[in-house]
Amino acid sequence: MNDVSTFLGRFGGTLICVLFVASLSGCGGGGSSGSPQSPPIASSSSSVSSASSSSSSVSSSSASSSSSTSSASSSSMSSSSASSGPTETVLHSFGAPSSGDGNSPRANLVQATDGNFYGTTANGGVNDSGTVFKITPAGVETVLHSFGTVASVDGRGPFARLVQATDGNFYGTTANGGDNATGTVFKITPAGVETVLHSFGTVASGDGRTPLAGLIQATDGNFYGTTRDGGANTHGIVFKISPTGVETILHSFGASGDSTAPQGDALIQATDGNLYGVTPTGGANGGGAIFKVTLAGVESVFYSFPAVTTFGYAPAGALIQATDGNFYGTAGLGGANDGGAAFKISPSGTYNVLYSFGAASSGDAFQPRGLIQSTDGNFYGATRTGGPNNQGAVFKITPAGVETVLQSFLPRAGGYTPVGLIQGTDGAFYGTTEGGGDNGTGVVFKISF
């Protein structure tokens, strides 16, 4: 599974399902739609096709006073659509490593109740340990918190998106730092006051280590998340943490046939009340798995990705539960063209490939990072690579499996290697890129139509 290891070392990220109305158009992609699990998927064509129908130390810090306004630059997206197409606006270019601004975001944004967007960067800030930032829809960015030094008990290196809880504060994770240098769960107010709620344990403790995914707040008011490492089998855990910081290990991954090593893919709580997530490895076939866990901690493998690569494997990005009640997600590898796949899986576990992304040379999107659903009923997402410029792309997929590449990122100023998308209350899409921008350290972008 060397290609999976390479994929895990390079890719990750999370997407958030935020539902708002959008009416979108764009150019055709170059992959192929899929078919149900049996028989294998048909080979791809160069044009878009529809899918066949089938079945507790505390560290506090106030907000930094540094604030910067990007010169919001607009550029037409690369699209073969003859009609008026989408337009990308760079709202903010993250700063140079020595600027005090954050850089290299690895997580998606969240739009808060105040209308502003909040996010994290894995690097940068005063201590080069990452930041929490706020950015207005007009592009005015403020660093709310710079994570601590190696010698501090603050977290370092946030790789996951934030969640705004019912108390109005934001909660998140860092992959490093804390009392044991194995990561933290933190709370931060909209004004920038940060508190470490939990420091993950040592190797010998049995606690989880290295949380790469964000948190969700479930209907019981507690937060739930995963770690990549640690636990009884050293392959990560599912944990619960109360708003006051009391942590409970619900499940240790890694028994024979179980899911293993969850990455930067947040859990979701489905309409049945259970939690669902993905792991890029493990399962019965070693190609990754979808798991289900009750709030009481009873875990089961919901679906094991097959060894047949045309079905997609190494799932990347969080699941979503769509308005039809089915789950949708993406596999970072495999598919008919080995460019990844978008899939649908029913609550009873019936798996269908919705679309196979194109080969790297086709100009289609390549290596997807999850989906969101708009209230127009279609699915949207971003890919790390691919597109006509091979710097990543934004795509649309209909429920019937027809894919359209809406935007292809360009090198440098416009940002490249997108992390994911959310849809704002204005109907536009917002996201971050890992690279590019004025300083080569990533951007916050807006896509409007």
Side-chain angles (χ1 to χ4, degrees):
M1 196 63 70
N2 289 335
D3 49 354
V4 175
S5 298
T6 301
F7 175 80
L8 296 180
R10 296 175 55 202
F11 307 137
T14 1
L15 292 167
I16 307 170
C17 181
V18 182
L19 308 180
F20 295 104
V21 177
S23 178
L24 306 174
S25 62
C27 66
S32 63
S33 59
S35 59
Q37 181 173 343
S38 180
I41 304 166
S43 61
S44 67
S45 65
S46 59
S47 60
V48 174
S49 58
S50 61
S52 56
S53 59
S54 56
S55 31
S56 226
S57 293
V58 175
S59 171
S60 297
S61 171
S62 60
S64 167
S65 60
S66 64
S67 175
S68 60
T69 305
S70 299
S71 53
S73 57
S74 299
S75 60
S76 295
M77 295 183 176
S78 175
S79 171
S80 63
S81 173
S83 60
S84 59
T87 300
E88 180 202 20
T89 302
V90 175
L91 295 180
H92 178 70
S93 286
F94 289 101
S98 60
S99 67
D101 193 13
N103 64 70
S104 304
R106 296 292 194 273
N108 212 346
L109 302 168
V110 60
Q111 188 171 27
T113 53
D114 63 3
N116 295 310
F117 298 94
Y118 293 78
T120 62
T121 64
N123 300 313
V126 174
N127 302 302
D128 198 26
S129 296
T131 69
V132 175
F133 66 88
K134 173 179 76 173
I135 187 166
T136 70
V140 179
E141 187 242 20
T142 304
V143 174
L144 294 179
H145 179 70
S146 288
F147 287 96
T149 64
V150 174
S152 75
V153 295
D154 195 11
R156 294 182 290 113
F159 280 76
R161 58 117 177 107
L162 302 168
V163 61
Q164 187 176 31
T166 53
D167 63 2
N169 296 311
F170 300 96
Y171 293 77
T173 61
T174 65
N176 299 300
D179 291 341
N180 303 298
T182 55
T184 69
V185 175
F186 66 88
K187 174 178 77 172
I188 187 166
T189 70
V193 179
E194 186 244 16
T195 305
V196 175
L197 293 179
H198 177 70
S199 287
F200 287 97
T202 63
V203 174
S205 70
D207 194 8
R209 295 178 283 116
T210 322
L212 297 178
L215 303 170
I216 64 164
Q217 187 175 31
T219 51
D220 63 0
N222 294 307
F223 299 96
Y224 293 81
T226 60
T227 68
R228 184 191 65 187
D229 304 318
N233 304 305
T234 72
H235 288 293
I237 66 168
V238 178
F239 64 88
K240 174 178 74 173
I241 190 163
S242 72
T244 58
V246 179
E247 186 228 26
T248 304
I249 297 173
L250 294 181
H251 177 70
S252 288
F253 291 106
S256 178
D258 194 11
S259 306
T260 60
Q263 304 285 317
D265 311 311
L267 299 168
I268 64 167
Q269 187 174 28
T271 54
D272 64 3
N274 296 310
L275 307 176
Y276 291 79
V278 301
T279 62
T281 56
N285 306 301
I290 300 171
F291 64 88
K292 175 176 74 172
V293 61
T294 69
L295 297 188
V298 179
E299 187 257 8
S300 58
V301 174
F302 183 65
Y303 178 77
S304 288
F305 286 84
V308 181
T309 59
T310 52
F311 288 84
Y313 62 99
L319 291 173
I320 62 170
Q321 187 172 30
T323 53
D324 63 2
N326 294 307
F327 299 99
Y328 292 80
T330 56
L333 296 173
N337 308 299
D338 203 27
F343 62 83
K344 174 177 77 172
I345 187 165
S346 71
S348 62
T350 302
Y351 178 93
N352 291 271
V353 172
L354 190 65
Y355 180 76
S356 283
F357 290 92
S361 60
S362 70
D364 191 16
F366 184 73
Q367 291 174 333
R369 308 183 79 161
L371 300 171
I372 62 173
Q373 187 182 30
S374 170
T375 50
D376 67 0
N378 295 310
F379 303 97
Y380 300 85
T383 61
R384 180 182 174 87
T385 56
N389 303 307
N390 203 31
Q391 302 292 324
V394 171
F395 63 87
K396 174 180 76 172
I397 297 178
T398 69
V402 179
E403 187 246 21
T404 305
V405 174
L406 297 174
Q407 187 246 350
S408 179
F409 287 91
L410 297 168
R412 301 294 179 186
Y416 58 87
T417 314
V419 175
L421 296 175
I422 66 169
Q423 196 169 24
T425 54
D426 59 359
F429 290 101
Y430 295 80
T432 59
T433 67
E434 293 182 17
D438 293 341
N439 302 296
T441 56
V443 306
V444 178
F445 66 85
K446 173 184 176 181
I447 295 175
S448 55
F449 296 84

